[in-house]
Amino acid sequence: MLSIIVPTYNESRNIEELLTRISKALKPINIPFEVLIVDDNSPDGTAQVAEALKSRFNINVVRRPRKDGLASAVMSGFKLATGDILSVMDADLSHPPEAIPEMYREINSGNADIVVGSRYVEGGASASWPWYRRLISSFARLLARPITAVKDSGTGFFMLRRSVIEGADINPRGFKVLIEILAKGNYSKAKEVPILFNDRAKGQSKLGIKEVLEYLESLCLIYYGMLTGKIKRKKNIA
Ligand SMILES: Nc1nc2c(ncn2[C@@H]2O[C@H](COP(=O)(O)OP(=O)(O)O)[C@@H](O)[C@H]2O)c(=O)[nH]1
Ligand SMILES: [Mg+2]
């Protein structure tokens, strides 16, 4: 079973198209899957919109009482998911659901334990972000280089075997969860599958200065773990 975790905050206008595209993309591979919408009491009624779509899609809506950050929403989703393969993606249609079958194949065939939907490998590309978003993204990538060989470690689109996170000491702050998993997860093979990253369809980005600072804090804690020998850099990237 594949569990697709989608953290949402004010995504009511994107949810139906996202679910439609996920269902369509997964139809040809005919595998059992569930979608977990993890919503932080969005004022725009995302949770209610998602609930109303339950008759058409196999979804669970996890309602958290208040906005508590993207990374912690993902962790809540991992806890409640029933699949042995877990995937995470944004709700804003930046991440193409059409890439899910290939990501799934890489894991299911034993090629990889963790697969990243990547903008920065051959065949991948990024939408035209404003200059400050590109700057933040490049800077984040540079700082992640000592930690992992995965090029797109800042993405919110990935898939893994549950065993990668089971028993691992993952406690992400703020916005980014993948870097924690890449640093501390139990895996031997990571793979990047190229994706075309689109600009968000509707609504607004939730990345602000608080999220950037929390990311820097996470990186510092990982660096500290590496310096003290508690965290080892993983090299096996296919
Ligand atoms: N549950 C939850 N989801 C969040 C939170 N912050 C962001 N998200 C969701 O995480 C995903 C990525 O956020 P987004 O604003 O698109 O960030 P960007 O792509 O970096 O601009 C989207 O699906 C958001 O709705 C939060 O605090 N809680
Ligand atoms: Mg986005």
Side-chain angles (χ1 to χ4, degrees):
M1 159 84 116
L2 169 66
S3 299
I4 302 170
I5 293 146
V6 182
T8 58
Y9 193 74
N10 287 346
E11 303 288 2
S12 62
R13 293 188 294 156
N14 293 320
I15 226 70
E16 184 173 359
E17 186 178 344
L18 177 76
L19 292 169
T20 305
R21 278 179 57 187
I22 291 176
S23 295
K24 202 167 163 210
L26 285 172
K27 206 160 198 176
I29 63 169
N30 198 20
I31 52 159
F33 72 95
E34 60 173 0
V35 179
L36 273 92
I37 309 280
V38 186
D39 187 70
D40 284 2
N41 202 10
S42 296
D44 78 343
T46 304
Q48 291 88 311
V49 171
E51 292 278 358
L53 293 165
K54 270 187 170 168
S55 55
R56 288 172 48 205
F57 303 101
N58 182 21
I59 55 172
N60 277 315
V61 183
V62 182
R63 290 164 174 253
R64 306 199 311 165
R66 69 190 72 85
K67 190 170 187 308
D68 192 30
L70 164 55
S72 93
V74 171
M75 296 308 286
S76 299
F78 283 159
K79 278 202 199 92
L80 295 164
T82 57
D84 48 336
I85 299 182
L86 309 171
S87 183
V88 179
M89 69 191 303
D90 289 359
D92 61 2
L93 305 167
S94 303
H95 301 147
E98 295 72 25
I100 296 175
E102 190 184 346
M103 293 163 79
Y104 180 82
R105 262 192 302 276
E106 294 291 351
I107 295 194
N108 200 38
S109 65
N111 258 353
D113 307 306
I114 176 161
V115 180
V116 173
S118 179
R119 293 162 281 187
Y120 306 121
V121 291
E122 208 185 315
S126 200
S128 49
W129 257 353
W131 66 269
Y132 59 89
R133 275 309 297 263
R134 284 203 307 267
L135 189 73
I136 295 174
S137 179
S138 316
F139 191 54
R141 247 178 312 142
L142 189 72
L143 292 176
R145 270 166 68 173
I147 299 169
T148 174
V150 169
K151 294 195 179 80
D152 201 349
S153 57
T155 184
F157 189 23
F158 55 94
M159 193 181 289
L160 43 79
R161 283 182 216 291
R162 185 185 277 282
S163 57
V164 172
I165 51 163
E166 248 161 16
D169 174 31
I170 292 159
N171 34 36
R173 272 145 289 272
F175 223 56
K176 298 295 179 192
V177 62
L178 180 61
I179 189 72
E180 279 274 316
I181 296 173
L182 289 170
K184 301 179 186 168
N186 307 308
Y187 65 97
S188 54
K189 285 177 285 183
K191 174 141 190 156
E192 293 187 78
V193 162
I195 62 147
L196 301 177
F197 181 96
N198 288 303
D199 229 344
R200 100 172 355 266
K202 292 173 182 140
Q204 272 177 358
S205 170
K206 283 101 215 172
L207 180 83
I209 190 76
K210 175 167 168 276
E211 284 74 18
V212 174
L213 292 176
E214 282 167 337
Y215 182 65
L216 292 176
E217 189 190 349
S218 291
L219 289 178
C220 286
L221 289 168
I222 296 171
Y223 290 155
Y224 181 73
M226 292 175 90
L227 285 172
T228 52
K230 269 169 85 183
I231 298 175
K232 300 249 173 338
R233 190 176 196 270
K234 306 245 188 0
K235 294 203 181 71
N236 292 352
I237 309 299

